């Protein structure tokens, strides 16, 4: 994406709305089933989201960078992998596999 305004809109508004809905729906459903334990329900839902990120980071790394290579291309702010590296070419496959896993879990 080359347009900063569009990037800010999609990343800020659309992504924010999606995450907000993803948090809110299970929390409200849990509150309705356990009205006297709203804090526990909220903590379990937020903890579940955090654990999901933790678990999927290992899955994603195993798919995209199985040999644990180190980024070599220096850019402002750090290092990245070049566009022609195997890690960069594994990224679409990683996203597809993660989406498939998420669909199975739903």
């Amino acid at each position: 994406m080359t347009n900063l305004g569009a990037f800010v809109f999609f990343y800020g508004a659309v992504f924010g709305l999606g995450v907000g809905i993803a948090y809110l729906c299970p929390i409200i459903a849990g509150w309705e089933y356990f009205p006297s334990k709203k804090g526990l329900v909220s903590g379990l839902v937020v903890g579940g989201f955090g654990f999901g990120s933790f678990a999927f980071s290992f899955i994603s790394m195993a798919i995209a960078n199985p040999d644990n290579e180190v980024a070599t291309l220096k850019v402002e702010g750090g290092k990245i992998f070049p566009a022609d590296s195997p890690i960069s070419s594994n990224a679409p496959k990683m996203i597809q596999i993660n989406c498939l896993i998420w669909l199975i879990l739903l």
Side-chain angles (χ1 to χ4, degrees):
M1 183 170 285
T2 57
N3 186 338
L4 180 62
F7 174 76
V8 169
F9 171 74
F10 281 105
Y11 191 78
V14 176
F15 181 73
L17 182 67
V19 170
I21 291 171
Y23 270 117
L24 194 60
C25 292
I27 287 176
I28 289 175
W31 287 350
E32 290 197 13
Y33 279 101
F34 304 102
S36 63
K37 303 211 183 281
K38 289 184 177 182
L40 176 65
V41 168
S42 299
L44 289 173
V45 169
V46 172
F49 272 83
F51 180 74
S53 298
F54 176 75
F56 272 96
S57 69
F58 289 108
I59 294 169
S60 298
M61 187 64 115
I63 296 167
N65 191 0
D67 298 326
N68 203 20
E69 295 180 26
V70 179
T72 57
L73 185 63
K74 288 187 178 187
V75 295
E76 183 177 340
K79 293 181 180 179
I80 61 172
F81 291 101
D84 61 347
S85 75
I87 289 96
S88 297
S89 63
N90 286 342
K93 178 177 130 185
M94 174 198 66
I95 293 171
Q96 291 171 347
I97 292 172
N98 279 339
C99 288
L100 182 64
I101 292 170
W102 292 328
L103 286 173
I104 291 170
L105 290 175
L106 289 176

